[in-house]
Amino acid sequence: MRPSKIGHKKTMKKLFYTLFLSACLPNALLAQAYFQQEVNYTIQVKLDDVKSEFTAEEKIEYINNSPTTLTFIYMHLWPNAYKDNSTPMAQLMLASGNTSFYYSKENDRGFMDQIDFKINDQTAKWELLKDTIDICKLYLNEPLKSGDKIIITTPFHVKIPSGKISRMGHIGQSYQITQWYPKPAVYDRNGWNYIPYLNQGEFYSEFGSFDVSITVPKNYVLGATGDMVDGEKELEWLDQKVKETEAITTFDSKDLSFPSSSPETKTLRFKQSNVHDFAWFCDKRYHVLKGEIETPHTKHKVTTWVMFTNAEGYLWKNSIQYMNDAVYYYSQWNGDYPYNNCTAVDGTISAGGGMEYPNITVIGTSGNAFQLDVVITHEVGHNWFYGMLGSNERSHAWMDEGMNSFNENRYIETKYPEKKLIGRFADGKIGKWFDLSQYKHKSEYELAYLISAAKNEDQPIELPAYKYTELNYGGDVYSKTAVVFDYLMAYLGEEKMDKAMQAYFNEWHFKHPLPEDFRKSMEKSTGKDLSWFFDGMIKSTKKLDYKITFAHHHPDGTWDLGIKNKGQINGPLFIQGIKNKQVVGEVVYDGFNNKKTLTFPVSEIDFFKIDFGEEMPEINRNNNKIKTKGIFKKVEPIKFQFLGSLDNPNKTQLFWMPVAGWNNYNKWMFGLALYNNLIPQKKFEFELMPMYSCGTNDLSGYGRITYTISPEQGLQHLTFGITGSRFAYSNAPFNMNFNKIAPELNIEFKKSELNSPYRLRLKVRNIMIIKDSYKGNYEFTPPIYVKEPLTNNFSDLTFSLSKYHAIQPADISLNFQGGQKMIKASITAHYSYKYKEKNKGFEARFFAGSFINTTTADAGAYRFRLSGQTGSQDYLYDNIYLGRSESEGVLSNQFTDTDGAFKYYSPLGQSSTWITALNLKSSLGNMKLPINLFADLGTTGTGLTNDKFLYDAGICISLKKNFFEIYFPILLSQDFIDYKKANDLKYAETIRFTLNLNLMNPFDLIRNFKL
Ligand SMILES: [Zn+2]
């Protein structure tokens, strides 16, 4: 499979998922001699394209080559994965935030039924696994001894799910029939490998032969695994289709209508041996092209086919070339393609950009010719890494996806050597403007790995597929594997690499290699100890980072180079010497730990660089270079860059952009944002935003500096930081500023599993507010005001635990605050339930707070407030208000939903002792308008309403959820009504709004934009 776009998926939090799949992980290694079972299938299947279902008869010949006597066989009934929300597929999709299946209509779901297993013609007992209805246990009537065989037969019926869910399905009358028949699980050296169908995580199946007869209405074009048997008439018909397709000059991409089905049917029969799966695809709209390619080593002739609709016909018309190139290059590097046919079909699948099956692959929407070539090549390439080298994809996904991605990258570098990261934009204005023209295409794989690795949030390449976060499944399994294999090839040289891969292929094709088998094969054929590769790169998240510390020139013309291994892997290193921008010397050194002085033989050098060719997966390339002359031998020139760029180790990057802001006192502010933090994340990051205030003719702005440590153990991240800000908060009697300085410590605790949905964090801050105040001498008219600074200090500690869930997210946090006049504690909890429609659902919030130090209970400005905080009540200056000190007018109605978070404002319910409140919000059913109902209920220990329950309720217009929301009160408790009357408030004055301008922080905006 190929993800639709590697590394471009949004960062995802994942629900911890307790898979009950002990069986899919190798049990204690039994250390048995290698064996493999043989399973041969004969299936007759008939498609009903009116009801989108099929019925079939299946005969399985099962040959027990294991040394064990079997009394039962696990059978996969994978179409049942689409049956209901209880299946592992449904649960894992939901856990990863994908609610499409969870909320799908009954008609879009699918299942398998009418199973009636017979063994050697005798009815057999079987049962579905509890909680895993896509696996069953089939009891053998008699024990199956080693070397014996049985015949299993069953009819079956499948309702085909919507093709929008996962790999099997139909979109209208376009059919993608995959993982569709009852199939024995693999029994191997590790025992039974029964695995539920999953979206993230692929398969493992026994080798054998297939003889499949498929009946469809006559006008369907059908592609399948294997060679057509007795198919002269059909092949003639396909050749006619090829002629018609070749004659088309423009494909009408808007015409995707289905012609009506012929009343007559046809039965096509396909046979193939030495495969472990069979898939078929049919569509009445398909255009067909056909080609031929001779394999490089054995000169075996392979017929290549492509079948496609009008949708991207303009791209597919050239795709036979991609098929031929893919078959040719993969054969050349890994060993020849032995089958007679290789087909790619155009289909709309939801599991990714494409999906592989033996001899046939299905490709999603591509968008451009390069992408189509790459996806076709990747999927065709799976005929080697999965098809012939039948590793366990669920447990060792790197052995198929990763090794295949390495070949995919090699294909791109061979066929498109000039290809850059941002493609055709690289050498244009965009590439130059954003300083991206130097990045090779391979950077796509490197970045996908580095985004997680830079934060130590990467995962070892060798893990079961379902343990990965979605980001790491792409970034580690696919991309890191591609990059580290490329590194291995740079070390061994292409010739040795090819020999080693071919030796592996020769030894293990049509078999089930384990990681140890691959390692043994590689070490044997290269004659090298590859511990650094297998133990370091594959099995761990250890990082590679060499640093160059000095360069001493000897009179004999050679150099001594000081190298320090700052990483944890002693992989080989490449050092290049550069003179006049040309590489004049290159040495490959075997890796080492700690420090070493290396000899470099070339005399005339301007600078040395570790990995000038960028072939090593270095976590930090900023310490790879040393100049031979000058004072600042390791400092790179500063590069000012508008908006941002990728990390460029050859430059000291400083990003900038113009910024503007407004509040009632500073009026318009204009300035510059300066920052160094884009991707990947850096340890030391800063963001500075000095602005000139037109209202006060003074400096205002914001800044933040952080240093982040991401240790391997104990903590996920530890960030030391300091935040500062300065803005005006009043213009009367003269312009007055507040200055805030807040050093802080943020800790994110290590998750039990990286894809766990729970996040535990601790934040400790010291907040110092120095604000302008004044003293007035009222003996004079007008009075004379004298400026006086006022300093206030607070400590603030928050523990928070959040649980990510696509439907029911929740969090709870505990806060302690201390200042000169108070110590208080509070607890805030959120729970929400989302309905099917976006942003629809209900939310509940609970708050309880209490002063701890009751002797200073009269905490004045720091009281808990049932009505949340207005600008003047935000004593920590944590939120941004348009009119912080306003007491009337529209600006005074901005509030923050802290404390009691009542939407109705009243000074009632301020408390110097304790407070508790419940806030509810619910969307109104299916209405398109962003209208919510809200209700608040609460009480306080002191204040005017001592111990009375107060409430409000009304309508909330949510212009942007959690950003800009307006509250119209409708129902108020009697105290509020009395207060309103007493103060003669008009209705308009009681409408309040939240405007969370912290979300408008330009640094956050650009950070969130980048992925
Ligand atoms: Zn793949």
Side-chain angles (χ1 to χ4, degrees):
M1 182 170 117
R2 193 177 195 276
S4 348
K5 199 97 177 70
I6 289 174
H8 293 251
K9 292 188 173 167
K10 64 180 183 349
T11 313
M12 234 194 40
K13 300 144 212 160
K14 277 228 162 148
L15 191 66
F16 178 63
Y17 188 64
T18 40
L19 266 181
F20 29 82
L21 297 178
S22 56
C24 97
L25 298 171
N27 303 318
L29 278 177
L30 303 174
Q32 290 189 12
Y34 183 84
F35 66 83
Q36 82 187 33
Q37 308 293 64
E38 183 179 335
V39 183
N40 301 313
Y41 300 84
T42 310
I43 308 175
Q44 288 93 34
V45 56
K46 185 168 191 241
L47 173 73
D48 178 340
D49 72 342
V50 177
K51 292 186 188 158
S52 283
E53 59 182 31
F54 57 81
T55 46
E57 289 286 340
E58 181 183 29
K59 184 177 115 186
I60 301 168
E61 180 188 45
Y62 189 95
I63 304 171
N64 181 13
N65 293 326
S66 80
T68 323
T69 298
L70 301 177
T71 54
F72 58 83
I73 292 175
Y74 283 105
M75 299 287 289
H76 292 143
L77 310 174
W78 283 330
N80 275 344
Y82 301 87
K83 193 169 180 183
D84 57 44
N85 287 336
S86 79
T87 69
M89 176 192 80
Q91 291 183 36
L92 198 59
M93 278 173 89
L94 185 65
S96 69
N98 182 343
T99 55
S100 62
F101 183 75
Y102 188 85
Y103 288 128
S104 63
K105 293 188 195 105
E106 196 54 42
N107 194 38
D108 285 339
R109 297 182 172 200
F111 56 81
M112 173 183 266
D113 61 2
Q114 296 176 17
I115 301 267
D116 181 16
F117 284 118
K118 287 199 168 69
I119 298 171
N120 296 338
D121 278 335
Q122 303 289 311
T123 301
K125 207 184 119 201
W126 62 282
E127 65 195 13
L128 295 177
L129 296 199
K130 208 173 159 261
D131 301 329
T132 315
I133 56 171
D134 58 343
I135 305 176
C136 79
K137 196 171 180 182
L138 172 62
Y139 295 94
L140 306 183
N141 296 327
E142 283 164 41
L144 179 60
K145 291 201 195 91
S146 175
D148 284 0
K149 69 177 177 188
I150 45 168
I151 303 290
I152 305 166
T153 55
T154 183
F156 64 94
H157 161 259
V158 169
K159 181 186 169 294
I160 306 167
S162 160
K164 286 180 185 153
I165 296 168
S166 188
R167 299 177 182 94
M168 169 165 76
H170 71 100
I171 304 285
Q173 285 181 317
S174 182
Y175 293 95
Q176 301 161 38
I177 309 304
T178 66
Q179 283 99 18
W180 56 283
Y181 52 92
K183 190 178 192 183
V186 173
Y187 184 70
D188 68 7
R189 290 170 278 175
N190 295 323
W192 282 107
N193 298 263
Y194 54 100
I195 49 180
Y197 178 92
L198 295 180
N199 235 4
Q200 180 175 305
E202 295 179 315
F203 310 99
Y204 189 34
S205 305
E206 302 284 15
F207 281 96
S209 65
F210 285 84
D211 180 347
V212 181
S213 301
I214 306 164
T215 304
V216 292
K218 216 165 181 181
N219 57 338
Y220 272 86
V221 175
L222 189 145
T225 300
D227 302 340
M228 217 187 290
V229 184
D230 305 326
E232 292 78 13
K233 247 172 89 186
E234 179 71 7
L235 287 169
E236 262 171 43
W237 184 67
L238 288 176
D239 284 340
Q240 185 55 38
K241 286 265 172 196
V242 171
K243 275 195 195 124
E244 288 166 20
T245 305
E246 284 170 346
I248 300 174
T249 46
T250 25
F251 294 89
D252 181 2
S253 63
K254 295 219 169 60
D255 180 13
L256 294 172
S257 58
F258 292 96
S260 54
S261 295
S262 320
E264 295 163 79
T265 60
K266 62 183 174 187
T267 298
L268 307 175
R269 184 173 173 202
F270 295 86
K271 277 176 101 167
Q272 186 62 58
S273 53
N274 288 322
V275 288
H276 53 62
D277 200 7
F278 187 101
W280 53 284
F281 302 84
C282 65
D283 194 315
K284 290 173 284 186
R285 304 165 301 173
Y286 275 160
H287 304 291
V288 183
L289 289 171
K290 183 179 174 183
E292 190 180 77
I293 182 75
E294 196 179 86
T295 60
H297 304 291
T298 57
K299 311 292 173 199
H300 171 59
K301 284 193 170 60
V302 180
T303 307
T304 47
W305 300 87
V306 292
M307 300 172 173
F308 55 96
T309 67
N310 279 333
E312 288 193 319
Y314 67 105
L315 298 175
W316 281 84
K317 67 179 193 272
N318 303 316
S319 58
I320 280 292
Q321 190 60 49
Y322 310 153
M323 295 292 293
N324 291 350
D325 290 347
V327 171
Y328 183 86
Y329 283 115
Y330 271 73
S331 292
Q332 188 180 39
W333 296 327
N334 304 293
D336 275 357
Y337 187 82
Y339 308 108
N340 298 324
N341 290 283
C342 189
T343 307
V345 302
D346 167 13
T348 318
I349 65 159
S350 297
M355 185 63 204
E356 66 276 6
Y357 302 93
N359 308 172
I360 189 161
T361 65
V362 57
I363 311 295
T365 306
S366 302
N368 63 63
F370 173 73
Q371 202 58 28
L372 180 61
D373 189 358
V374 171
V375 178
I376 283 182
T377 297
H378 179 100
E379 305 311 342
V380 167
H382 274 300
N383 278 293
W384 282 261
F385 303 99
Y386 142 87
M388 290 180 267
L389 295 158
S391 51
N392 182 336
E393 301 181 278
R394 186 67 57 85
S395 299
H396 316 290
W398 65 275
M399 292 182 78
D400 55 290
E401 292 303 353
M403 277 155 84
N404 189 26
S405 295
F406 157 66
N407 277 272
E408 169 196 303
N409 175 55
R410 196 173 174 191
Y411 177 88
I412 295 167
E413 289 185 345
T414 305
K415 195 169 167 184
Y416 305 94
E418 302 300 318
K419 193 76 190 172
K420 300 279 179 67
L421 176 63
I422 52 168
R424 62 198 164 89
F425 302 108
D427 297 317
K429 276 195 183 126
I430 295 176
K432 294 213 170 78
W433 187 255
F434 290 106
D435 197 24
L436 291 172
S437 50
Q438 78 277 22
Y439 292 93
K440 292 190 268 185
H441 183 270
K442 196 181 114 186
S443 308
E444 178 177 316
Y445 304 86
E446 286 173 347
L447 283 168
Y449 159 59
L450 285 175
I451 285 168
S452 288
K455 296 187 275 186
N456 257 340
E457 284 183 359
D458 54 333
Q459 290 171 285
I461 290 173
E462 168 63 17
L463 270 190
Y466 61 86
K467 287 211 170 190
Y468 290 97
T469 65
E470 192 177 320
L471 190 74
N472 286 347
Y473 193 58
D476 291 326
V477 173
Y478 287 70
S479 300
K480 184 186 169 190
T481 313
V483 170
V484 301
F485 269 75
D486 204 49
Y487 174 38
L488 179 65
M489 183 166 75
Y491 169 61
L492 295 173
E494 291 200 16
E495 205 180 312
K496 250 193 186 161
M497 186 76 181
D498 288 349
K499 268 199 183 140
M501 291 307 291
Q502 287 165 20
Y504 168 57
F505 179 82
N506 286 334
E507 190 181 350
W508 285 100
H509 72 290
F510 306 149
K511 289 186 181 167
H512 297 309
L514 291 169
E516 306 85 270
D517 301 319
F518 175 62
R519 177 176 182 163
K520 233 187 236 170
S521 171
M522 290 300 280
E523 291 193 329
K524 192 178 155 204
S525 53
T526 60
K528 288 189 185 291
D529 175 2
L530 298 175
S531 307
W532 62 270
F533 183 77
F534 287 101
D535 297 336
M537 292 293 178
I538 303 284
K539 280 194 189 160
S540 80
T541 53
K542 290 176 180 171
K543 308 295 186 300
L544 184 74
D545 182 19
Y546 285 105
K547 178 184 178 169
I548 192 156
T549 52
F550 63 82
H552 286 319
H553 203 192
H554 285 290
D556 67 359
T558 63
W559 293 81
D560 274 351
L561 301 179
I563 307 291
K564 190 174 172 195
N565 187 349
K566 292 194 74 182
Q568 306 97 41
I569 295 180
N570 58 353
L573 75 159
F574 319 132
I575 303 183
Q576 283 85 2
I578 315 294
K579 177 78 190 168
N580 298 328
K581 296 181 179 168
Q582 299 289 321
V583 177
V584 293
E586 176 183 20
V587 182
V588 177
Y589 302 90
D590 276 324
F592 51 86
N593 295 319
N594 304 323
K595 289 179 193 171
K596 205 164 180 178
T597 302
L598 302 174
T599 308
F600 197 88
V602 184
S603 177
E604 291 289 298
I605 300 289
D606 292 337
F607 67 88
F608 288 100
K609 186 149 189 202
I610 297 170
D611 191 31
F612 184 78
E614 298 187 354
E615 281 158 327
M616 298 166 62
E618 279 257 309
I619 190 79
N620 179 11
R621 288 196 173 129
N622 291 304
N623 56 11
N624 284 8
K625 184 174 162 185
I626 193 161
K627 291 173 224 163
T628 56
K629 296 180 194 79
I631 308 165
F632 300 107
K633 288 189 169 127
K634 293 184 196 166
V635 178
E636 299 294 351
I638 289 179
K639 158 91 182 167
F640 282 93
Q641 174 66 53
F642 174 64
L643 278 185
S645 182
L646 296 172
D647 179 50
N648 184 342
N650 299 317
K651 285 160 189 167
T652 304
Q653 291 165 303
L654 194 53
F655 307 129
W656 67 274
M657 67 174 157
V659 284
W662 186 91
N663 68 44
N664 199 32
Y665 320 107
N666 287 110
K667 302 300 179 192
W668 280 103
M669 295 169 278
F670 299 99
L672 207 59
L674 291 166
Y675 46 105
N676 76 333
N677 50 344
L678 274 181
I679 42 172
Q681 184 181 293
K682 290 188 171 74
K683 276 185 178 165
F684 173 74
E685 298 193 328
F686 65 83
E687 43 198 44
L688 303 170
M689 195 171 72
M691 296 193 284
Y692 179 76
S693 155
C694 299
T696 61
N697 293 326
D698 197 356
L699 184 73
S700 62
Y702 160 87
R704 179 175 156 90
I705 299 169
T706 57
Y707 188 81
T708 303
I709 303 167
S710 302
E712 287 280 344
Q713 302 292 327
L715 305 175
Q716 199 77 46
H717 306 295
L718 178 67
T719 304
F720 303 96
I722 184 160
T723 306
S725 57
R726 172 186 167 87
F727 292 98
Y729 73 95
S730 176
N731 299 122
F734 41 73
N735 293 331
M736 293 191 290
N737 289 308
F738 72 85
N739 301 280
K740 172 175 173 178
I741 300 165
E744 64 179 52
L745 172 70
N746 277 286
I747 291 174
E748 188 176 337
F749 295 90
K750 207 82 164 175
K751 293 176 169 187
S752 53
E753 296 272 348
L754 207 56
N755 64 357
S756 157
Y758 295 99
R759 255 178 121 173
L760 180 64
R761 277 173 289 192
L762 171 68
K763 182 175 186 165
V764 187
R765 297 186 293 165
N766 184 74
I767 302 141
M768 181 156 72
I769 310 288
I770 308 161
K771 61 183 203 178
D772 297 335
S773 186
Y774 63 88
K775 222 175 171 172
N777 189 336
Y778 299 95
E779 285 167 18
F780 298 90
T781 324
I784 293 170
Y785 298 105
V786 186
K787 205 181 246 188
E788 221 185 36
L790 205 72
T791 304
N792 231 334
N793 249 306
F794 303 93
S795 298
D796 184 75
L797 181 150
T798 308
F799 246 118
S800 62
L801 175 68
S802 60
K803 184 192 176 197
Y804 170 81
H805 192 275
I807 313 278
Q808 304 174 64
D811 63 69
I812 185 161
S813 60
L814 190 60
N815 176 266
F816 294 95
Q817 254 177 39
Q820 283 140 337
K821 290 182 179 168
M822 55 96 180
I823 304 172
K824 64 183 188 182
S826 65
I827 191 162
T828 312
H830 292 95
Y831 167 81
S832 50
Y833 185 88
K834 289 176 190 162
Y835 307 150
K836 189 172 173 179
E837 294 82 10
K838 248 191 179 169
N839 295 334
K840 298 262 186 276
F842 79 84
E843 294 164 31
R845 175 185 179 274
F846 171 78
F847 180 87
S850 173
F851 278 84
I852 291 173
N853 191 339
T854 47
T855 56
T856 58
D858 187 16
Y862 317 124
R863 275 175 291 200
F864 287 113
R865 296 169 198 280
L866 217 44
S867 297
Q869 286 173 318
T870 64
S872 60
Q873 295 164 351
D874 174 29
Y875 54 89
L876 294 180
Y877 291 79
D878 274 346
N879 300 297
I880 300 171
Y881 292 86
L882 294 176
R884 177 174 286 280
S885 304
E886 299 309 291
S887 55
E888 53 190 41
V890 179
L891 298 186
S892 72
N893 286 352
Q894 184 187 353
F895 77 109
T896 312
D897 45 7
T898 50
D899 292 9
F902 270 48
K903 313 306 179 289
Y904 184 77
Y905 177 77
S906 100
L908 310 173
Q910 300 187 9
S911 171
S912 312
T913 54
W914 58 266
I915 181 176
T916 181
L918 181 69
N919 316 102
L920 300 169
K921 207 189 259 186
S922 166
S923 57
L924 288 176
N926 284 324
M927 287 183 68
K928 292 242 163 64
L929 296 169
I931 296 179
N932 300 315
L933 297 177
F934 72 84
D936 306 302
L937 180 70
T939 184
T940 65
T942 50
L944 299 173
T945 59
N946 199 0
D947 285 346
K948 257 190 228 167
F949 266 100
L950 298 175
Y951 60 85
D952 67 2
I955 287 172
C956 163
I957 308 270
S958 180
L959 293 169
K960 177 107 178 68
K961 203 171 147 43
N962 296 330
F963 174 66
F964 188 20
E965 297 180 288
I966 307 169
Y967 295 92
F968 298 87
I970 292 174
L971 203 65
L972 299 173
S973 49
Q974 193 55 46
D975 293 271
F976 286 155
I977 295 171
D978 294 345
Y979 169 79
K980 195 179 158 192
K981 267 188 199 146
N983 289 278
D984 197 19
L985 291 176
K986 292 191 191 75
Y987 183 73
E989 292 173 282
T990 66
I991 301 166
R992 294 211 297 166
F993 66 95
T994 53
L995 179 61
N996 186 357
L997 289 167
N998 286 336
L999 296 177
M1000 292 292 282
N1001 179 331
F1003 306 109
D1004 288 338
L1005 289 179
I1006 200 158
R1007 257 194 297 267
N1008 295 333
F1009 174 76
K1010 79 200 170 188
L1011 271 181

